[in-house]
Amino acid sequence: MLKLLWKTLLVSPAFVGVVLASSHAAAESTAQSEFEFNQSATQGVELAQAQDELLEKLENYSQEGNSNSNDQVTSVSELRDVSPTDWAYEALRSLVERYGCIVGYPDRTFRGNRATSRWEFAAGLNACLNTMERLIQENVAVLREDIEKLKRLMQEFEAELAALGARVDNLEGRVAFLEDHQFSTTTKLVGEVIMAATAAGGSRSSEDNQAVLQDRVRLSFNTSFSGEDLLVTRLSASTGTGTDRFTLNEPNLRVINPATGQPIGIAFEENTLINPTATQTFNIGPRRNEQDNDVTIDWVGYYAPIEPLNNFKIDTYITAWGGRWHHFVPTLNPFFEDFDGGKGSLSTFAQRNPIYRIGGGAGAGMSFQVGFLESLLGPTSVSFGYLAGTANDPCLNGGGQNPDGSIRGCQNSNADNPATPGFEYAESDGGNGLFNGNYGALAQVNTNLFDVVNIAFTYVHAYHKPDAPIFGSGIPFGPGEVGTSFANFSRSELNNAFAAGSIGAPGTSTPAYNSEANDQGLLPVNPFDIGGKVTNSYGGEFTWRVAEWMNFSAFGSFTNVRFIGRGLSAEVWTGGGGFAFPDLFKEGNLLGIFAGVQPYHGGRNRPTTADFFELPSRNPVTAEVFYRYQVTDNISITPGVIWIANPDQFVNIQGADDEVIGTVRGTFSF
């Protein structure tokens, strides 16, 4: 190949680049990498066994040779460095300065007047050949004397250029091998690892709440079959979900004694009620009786656009497991929202409007642009969706959680009520399946005004089984992801803590089950034998890009709750807003300040029907400040503080009603 190139140069200098065009991109990349190769005399590059002896010795060469430049070269070990006093060094330097053909170093030189190995020199010469070839193709004038310099340089460095070409061929072969044997040409692995040290304190924090170091790992396989669709399969493991969250001390409230019709005081057992208001984003993960860091698939979803009409495209989404509204619906809370990841807010409350945590699981959704509204309001989209929380369970009835924490299988009978030993819950445990269990149906309209303001209105209709928390993204039992325990109304969470507590005036212990009252045909004190819950929620979201360095966002929602089988209802309210300051002090950094009221039972002394409970009207005011420091493109550290007043809207007889949580979160993404 080199002899042919040499003969071509003798005929016409214009053919310099034409012959080299086929290897231009690979050789240019090789030139840059080879400039770094000989920085250490002991380093070599692994090559294929088929490389000839000359290439192998050139790669290991970095010592000055012992032969004179005028002597015939009989072995690679006799090759010497190109000194700054050599004519070749000066010739190539003039070409570099005139045509800017070496980009290996920022100053486009050989870094001063140091001696350059012949291997480095050959790489630089090859780069100049490629540059001049491109200039000739673009009809840019090239001096004839420079063509003559190239002829002479190519003649003297013929062996090195041949070795360089062999190396390029070797690299191309390796690339082809990897492309043929890689896992998939359409799958990309995306990962995130969170390590968070966190501690809670305050009058509401249980003495059992110790400082912890928790983790969560997510690995997503993102696969595209057409270039426009996307299949997401995500693996997850964690140590801070489920019951491994902060709990409350002995919360107190009033209930109605059905035997007398008068309110009495009760105290929940300490460390039995998990506090949803203290939940952080890394607490959102596998929560179905997995052990610490057990790996499980927590999300399977598929996105595909369809275009039924010209200029009308529908973005569709279908999920078989772990689906959430924010997967396809705009939540309008930029910078705080990170899909419960490790780069946005610390708390789940500041992530997005809690209305998006009503419903989740398996189902489908779609979004599309409304063209006729664009001229009036700006770009406007509409989203619809349906998600079922227990879509995979074929049981007609049953399921859920037993008082001992075990999971109930398919059973026709209701679960035992721990507050009334030997008796089942009066209300049904609820159904399952795609349409008979937990479900949520959402509709949202979102519009962009003046390219700086976005507004959205959201409606969610949902059904929740008795043990399912309202703000739990469709899970069949357990604590919620945000809001107070009485905003989530999980029967098992409330009743298990109630049954282990005490009833009566302060300082007086009375068992929850009164056998004497039962003998008289009176119901025992049993305020949490609630059935399924039907909710209708209405919310609004707003975001305003005030400036490049500041963004304001806010949300609010109202939920009407109807308890099946009791004819009772409740109100749940929430709202908040915050400022985000991106790139503060450094590109990639973020300061976030957010405050609001988490979802809470909003009616004063509601409901008041006998055999139910009364609630105080204190609201769980929450404030959060965090600062994300971007160490590298893939590593960030986020310290922050969360303050919560009245974290479960209880009357606390032990002092101030507040809780403070401090966290340092490390996030590794790749």
Side-chain angles (χ1 to χ4, degrees), residues 611-648:
D611 197 24
F612 219 62
F613 52 85
E614 294 182 345
L615 287 176
S617 59
R618 299 185 180 184
N619 300 334
V621 178
T622 302
E624 175 182 352
V625 178
F626 68 91
Y627 181 70
R628 186 188 71 212
Y629 179 75
Q630 201 70 35
V631 181
T632 68
D633 291 341
N634 303 97
I635 302 175
S636 65
I637 298 176
T638 307
V641 176
I642 305 169
W643 172 77
I644 309 171
N646 310 306
D648 236 330

Side-chain angles (χ1 to χ4, degrees), residues 252-257 261-266 268 486 489 527-528 568 601 603-618 648-651:
N252 299 272
L253 72 159
R254 294 183 300 169
V255 300
I256 300 297
N257 186 336
Q262 299 299 315
I264 62 174
I266 71 169
F268 285 13
F486 280 95
F489 288 106
F528 303 115
L568 303 172
H601 184 283
R604 184 177 181 86
N605 295 333
R606 289 174 58 92
T608 58
T609 304
D611 197 24
F612 219 62
F613 52 85
E614 294 182 345
L615 287 176
S617 59
R618 299 185 180 184
D648 236 330
Q649 66 180 99
F650 290 122
V651 176

Side-chain angles (χ1 to χ4, degrees), residues 131-189:
T131 298
M132 296 181 70
E133 173 264 330
R134 177 177 55 80
L135 294 176
I136 292 173
Q137 285 186 338
E138 295 174 357
N139 295 321
V140 177
V142 176
L143 297 178
R144 184 176 185 83
E145 62 184 71
D146 293 336
I147 298 296
E148 296 299 325
K149 288 179 183 178
L150 279 176
K151 290 180 183 179
R152 186 177 175 186
L153 288 170
M154 289 181 63
Q155 185 177 27
E156 181 162 332
F157 291 87
E158 182 176 4
E160 290 85 349
L161 289 173
L164 181 64
R167 176 169 176 76
V168 171
D169 293 340
N170 176 263
L171 292 176
E172 290 178 344
R174 291 184 182 183
V175 171
F177 177 84
L178 291 174
E179 289 179 346
D180 292 338
H181 293 81
Q182 64 182 339
F183 171 69
S184 172
T185 58
T186 60
T187 298
K188 180 179 180 180
L189 174 65

Side-chain angles (χ1 to χ4, degrees), residues 448-454 542-547 551-552:
N448 182 307
L449 303 176
F450 316 114
D451 294 327
V452 293
V453 174
N454 272 54
F542 171 85
T543 182
W544 174 28
R545 190 64 181 266
V546 182
N551 188 89
F552 174 74

Side-chain angles (χ1 to χ4, degrees), residues 189-196 214-221 233-241 281-286 292-299 340-342 666-670:
L189 174 65
V190 179
E192 181 186 74
V193 177
I194 297 175
M195 299 182 187
Q214 299 174 330
D215 72 76
R216 190 191 65 195
V217 181
R218 284 177 170 176
L219 296 176
S220 297
F221 296 88
T233 306
R234 190 173 71 189
L235 306 179
S236 181
S238 59
T239 60
T241 60
T281 59
F282 51 86
N283 296 139
I284 305 302
D292 287 347
N293 269 336
D294 279 358
V295 179
T296 184
I297 296 178
D298 75 336
W299 179 25
D340 292 323
T667 305
F668 307 83
S669 57
F670 55 91

